[in-house]
Amino acid sequence: MRAVVCKQYGPPEDLVIEEVAEPTPGPGQVLVRVRAAAVNFPDVLLIDGKYQLKIPVPFTPGSELAGDVLAVGDGVGLAVGDRVLGTSFVGAFAEQAVVPAETLTPIPDTVDYGSAAGFGITYRTAYHALRSVARVQPDDWVVVLGAAGGVGLAAVDLGVLLGARVLAAASTPEKLAVCTARGAAATIDYDREDLKQRIRDITGAGAQSVLDPVGGDYAEPALRSLARGGRFVTLGYAAGAIPAIPLNLVMLKGISVQGMEIRTFATDHPDDNERDLTELAQLFAAGRIMPHIGARFPLEEAPAALRYVADRKAIGKVVIEV
């Protein structure tokens, strides 16, 4: 079978597409014929050796997929032919992948493989951040940085569903237009406007929450725009720089700063995780949320797909079709 292989840490252009042995599922595992896989920013960090965890080379990147069950290991309740979506830390950018059975869920009949592949990680991240960490309430002003990216646009969708007033911040008019179409109450072009001042102009007393998957130079002005007692949720650093926050700002306004990391959320907050996943599954099955697929690439163009995400060109999700 064909697979994308990272043989040495480096940029997307160093990846190769080659024939590899077909995998076999063990106990509790499922072999999936991959139909689509989603690209996430951590995939870019993993192949460059810059993620929090290092995967020994060689490995096949890709953590999010959708496809058909080809075979199951012992103790698995799925059947051959079932349409499923799921996650595995690596391995998704291939024609076949072995995935832990507990990460797989059925794909609703009305959902295509690309949308299914792009749903899991970003929507879970955004919903946990909004629902369980920021505890967003109806009519809250919620600032979403990087609002046109995968997590950002999911946060726009879900913030609107929770009844919040979403203020979407992104870097181009095209990106902001998509955010408006998805229900954002207001937008800011943070490459051309004063982020802190515009948030204050729009919200009046300041925002109740900020979701930040970007970091870099945007974090501090967004934090300064929070209302008293506001909540700042840090989710990642797509801008490439981890910001240093002056703690006096946190003290003087009674602000809460909290991180949320999708890999550990279920272990750290099992009750919130179970509730959030149940609610998300219901929303997805009912068609009330659906990822925006901004670009699609064939498997042989996987390096270009990763480059597209690395260069912050993505609007919504980038999908590799296999």
Side-chain angles (χ1 to χ4, degrees):
M1 69 165 192
R2 293 183 305 155
V4 178
V5 181
C6 176
K7 294 189 172 183
Q8 60 184 18
Y9 298 126
E13 291 75 18
D14 288 351
L15 297 171
V16 297
I17 317 294
E18 62 183 27
E19 290 288 331
V20 301
E22 295 184 1
T24 301
Q29 295 180 326
V30 176
L31 177 63
V32 177
R33 169 59 173 100
V34 180
R35 303 295 181 181
V39 182
N40 295 290
F41 189 73
D43 298 326
V44 177
L45 299 178
L46 273 170
I47 64 171
D48 205 16
K50 295 180 178 178
Y51 194 63
Q52 292 97 319
L53 299 177
K54 274 197 174 185
I55 303 298
V57 294
F59 68 92
T60 291
S63 57
E64 195 170 22
L65 58 82
D68 307 306
V69 174
L70 285 179
V72 299
D74 293 340
V76 175
L78 293 167
V80 172
D82 285 351
R83 299 172 74 239
V84 292
L85 64 91
T87 59
S88 181
F89 196 52
V90 292
F93 298 164
E95 291 179 329
Q96 298 178 21
V98 168
V99 183
E102 67 267 18
T103 74
L104 294 171
T105 57
I107 299 174
D109 292 339
T110 57
V111 177
D112 67 277
Y113 290 111
S115 296
F119 171 73
I121 292 175
T122 51
Y123 277 83
R124 289 206 311 271
T125 300
Y127 201 60
H128 292 327
L130 290 164
R131 180 84 162 86
S132 296
V133 181
R135 302 184 301 279
V136 167
Q137 300 298 312
D139 293 326
D140 278 359
W141 275 108
V142 177
V143 176
V144 179
L145 304 181
V151 171
L153 205 52
V156 172
D157 291 346
L158 293 167
V160 171
L161 276 179
L162 290 170
R165 292 175 287 179
V166 177
L167 202 174
S171 60
T172 70
E174 180 188 10
K175 291 179 177 181
L176 294 175
V178 173
C179 295
T180 299
R182 305 288 282 199
T187 62
I188 298 172
D189 184 336
Y190 50 36
D191 280 357
R192 296 166 180 80
E193 299 180 272
D194 185 317
L195 179 61
K196 180 183 72 173
Q197 187 59 49
R198 289 291 293 134
I199 293 173
R200 289 180 174 176
D201 291 344
I202 292 167
T203 63
Q208 280 69 49
S209 300
V210 170
L211 266 63
D212 181 14
V214 180
D217 293 336
Y218 307 117
E220 184 176 329
L223 184 140
R224 287 179 179 272
S225 74
L226 280 167
R228 289 198 60 80
R231 296 170 295 278
F232 185 98
V233 185
T234 178
L235 299 170
Y237 311 102
I242 298 175
I245 299 296
L247 286 179
N248 64 309
L249 301 177
V250 177
M251 178 189 69
L252 292 173
K253 298 178 73 173
I255 291 168
S256 298
V257 178
Q258 187 167 342
M260 204 293 291
E261 209 272 328
I262 190 66
R263 290 185 306 110
T264 56
F265 185 83
T267 302
D268 293 343
H269 307 281
D271 293 339
D272 288 343
N273 181 68
E274 183 176 355
R275 179 203 62 200
D276 292 353
L277 294 185
T278 298
E279 293 175 356
L280 265 182
Q282 292 169 347
L283 291 168
F284 191 45
R288 297 186 65 192
I289 48 176
M290 197 66 61
H292 174 84
I293 309 300
R296 299 174 187 263
F297 294 81
L299 183 64
E300 55 268 22
E301 294 181 15
L306 284 150
R307 170 55 61 195
Y308 196 77
V309 171
D311 289 346
R312 297 175 60 199
K313 294 180 180 178
I315 298 178
K317 293 296 293 187
V318 173
V319 169
I320 294 171
E321 297 178 322
V322 184

